[in-house]
């Protein structure tokens, strides 16, 4: 999706399911992750502090899911950054098994980007 001079696109959806059991730690570490690419089409430097919020919505139930307090904005690519492109990564609690499509709401630099009907199967 493009709003004014900024483009946001979905790079990857990650579904990790695993448990940690060792020593005195036993817990569920499963999560749902999203990786977005943010690009300034005028090739101006991305302000990484311009991130405002992200949440996802199940298209069937309209249930909203907010990220766990973890997100990362890093240079893209990491070895020779372009500076006008950045990679955004956020983790969420695992989604219900029957969730097939989601809407992603991402607010960055005062602009709301909505990616509709993203298939996560």
């Amino acid at each position: 999706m493009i709003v004014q001079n900024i483009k946001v696109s979905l790079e990857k959806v990650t579904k990790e399911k695993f448990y940690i059991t060792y020593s005195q730690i036993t817990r569920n570490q499963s999560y749902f992750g999203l990786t977005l690419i943010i690009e300034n089409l005028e090739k101006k430097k991305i302000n990484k502090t311009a991130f405002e919020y992200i949440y996802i919505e199940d298209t069937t139930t309209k249930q909203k899911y907010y990220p766990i307090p973890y997100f990362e904005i890093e240079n893209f690519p990491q070895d020779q950054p372009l500076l006008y492109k950045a990679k955004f990564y956020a983790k969420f609690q695992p989604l219900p098994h029957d969730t097939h499509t989601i809407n992603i709401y991402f607010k960055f630099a005062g602009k709301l980007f909505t990616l509709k009907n993203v298939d996560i199967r």
Side-chain angles (χ1 to χ4, degrees), residues 9-16 31-36 56 88-92 95 99-104 115 117-121:
S9 54
L10 178 67
E11 180 187 50
K12 172 172 60 171
V13 170
T14 307
K15 293 182 188 180
E16 290 288 344
Y31 68 89
F32 175 80
L34 290 176
T35 304
L36 303 174
I56 57 178
F88 176 87
Y89 182 70
K91 286 184 178 181
F92 298 80
L95 299 180
T99 302
H100 299 299
T101 57
I102 60 171
N103 295 329
I104 302 168
L115 304 170
N117 297 314
V118 176
D119 192 338
I120 60 168
R121 289 180 277 177

Side-chain angles (χ1 to χ4, degrees), residues 1-10 34 36-41 46 50-57 88 102-116 118:
M1 177 174 194
I2 298 172
V3 176
Q4 292 173 349
N5 62 338
I6 298 180
K7 177 182 176 183
V8 172
S9 54
L10 178 67
L34 290 176
L36 303 174
I37 300 293
I38 307 163
E39 180 179 1
N40 186 308
L41 299 175
I46 295 282
F51 168 69
E52 295 179 43
Y53 65 80
I54 185 170
Y55 69 90
I56 57 178
E57 177 185 61
F88 176 87
I102 60 171
N103 295 329
I104 302 168
Y105 299 91
F106 179 70
K107 190 160 186 185
F108 186 82
K111 300 167 184 71
L112 179 62
F113 298 87
T114 306
L115 304 170
K116 296 272 190 179
V118 176

Side-chain angles (χ1 to χ4, degrees), residues 5-6 39-46 82-85:
N5 62 338
I6 298 180
E39 180 179 1
N40 186 308
L41 299 175
E42 295 173 350
K43 300 201 183 316
K44 293 181 182 174
K45 185 177 180 179
I46 295 282
L82 296 172
L83 301 179
Y84 64 88
K85 267 189 171 185

